[in-house]
Amino acid sequence: MTIESTTENKNANFSVLGFDLGKHTGWCFLDRINESNGLILFDNFAQFYSSAMELIDLWKPSAIVIGKPNLFAKNSYNVFSFHTKLLGILCLIAEKKGLVLFELNDSSSRKIVFGKGMKKKEAHALMPDFTDPDIADATILARAQYQLLLNA
């Protein structure tokens, strides 16, 4: 991945931890040097809280980014309800750790990363190293937010 900026950014020493929230929560940490990703698998909200705290304590990001849920998807009420609970947990963690939490919608993040709007499957096809779609989505979110902060 190449990240370019037309102006020198005094805040280039920041890092982003992206989450694609769900029962299988994909995550991606990104800074100038590192990119790491994985999945959080959990059975209850306490496990999600512990796993998210472990990631934040390990990577020490300066910002968190999450994807906004698609309100028009199948079972959107259930997805939105579950997503909101996970968002609440991350909001609590961000506040406790003094972190900024950003939300991006999927289509905007794909446009920022790939330069044009595209469907999820098209974006995933451009990322063949990612066999898990949740990790791919979290990576796209982290890369998009990193690019936005870099160009701010």
Side-chain angles (χ1 to χ4, degrees):
M1 177 179 96
T2 302
I3 297 178
E4 298 177 7
S5 177
T6 55
T7 60
E8 184 178 328
N9 190 320
K10 296 174 195 153
N11 299 322
N13 291 327
F14 54 83
S15 56
V16 175
L17 183 59
F19 289 97
D20 180 48
L21 300 177
K23 282 282 188 188
H24 300 107
T25 293
W27 63 268
C28 177
F29 173 80
L30 180 65
D31 66 12
R32 282 191 316 176
I33 300 166
N34 302 298
E35 184 175 297
S36 186
N37 54 52
L39 278 176
I40 298 175
L41 305 173
F42 58 96
D43 294 320
N44 56 55
F45 295 121
Q47 287 177 344
F48 177 78
Y49 175 86
S50 295
S51 296
M53 283 292 282
E54 282 179 35
L55 284 172
I56 290 167
D57 288 342
L58 173 67
W59 293 108
K60 298 177 181 21
S62 34
I64 296 172
V65 61
I66 62 156
K68 291 182 181 177
N70 181 351
L71 299 179
F72 303 106
K74 190 171 32 170
N75 300 320
S76 62
Y77 175 78
N78 292 337
V79 170
F80 187 73
S81 174
F82 190 73
H83 182 278
T84 303
K85 291 171 184 169
L86 297 179
L87 172 59
I89 292 169
L90 287 178
C91 285
L92 173 66
I93 293 171
E95 188 172 300
K96 286 176 93 171
K97 298 285 187 177
L99 300 173
V100 179
L101 191 141
F102 296 97
E103 290 183 84
L104 286 175
N105 71 37
D106 287 341
S107 60
S108 295
S109 61
R110 289 191 298 271
K111 188 172 185 176
I112 293 165
V113 171
F114 298 110
K116 62 178 185 169
M118 62 179 60
K119 294 182 178 165
K120 233 180 221 203
K121 286 185 179 181
E122 293 170 324
H124 291 174
L126 295 173
M127 304 174 73
D129 296 341
F130 297 93
T131 56
D132 188 284
D134 297 319
I135 294 173
D137 288 340
T139 302
I140 292 168
L141 286 165
R143 289 178 181 177
Q145 188 62 54
Y146 190 89
Q147 186 69 44
L148 288 170
L149 291 170
L150 188 64
N151 292 328

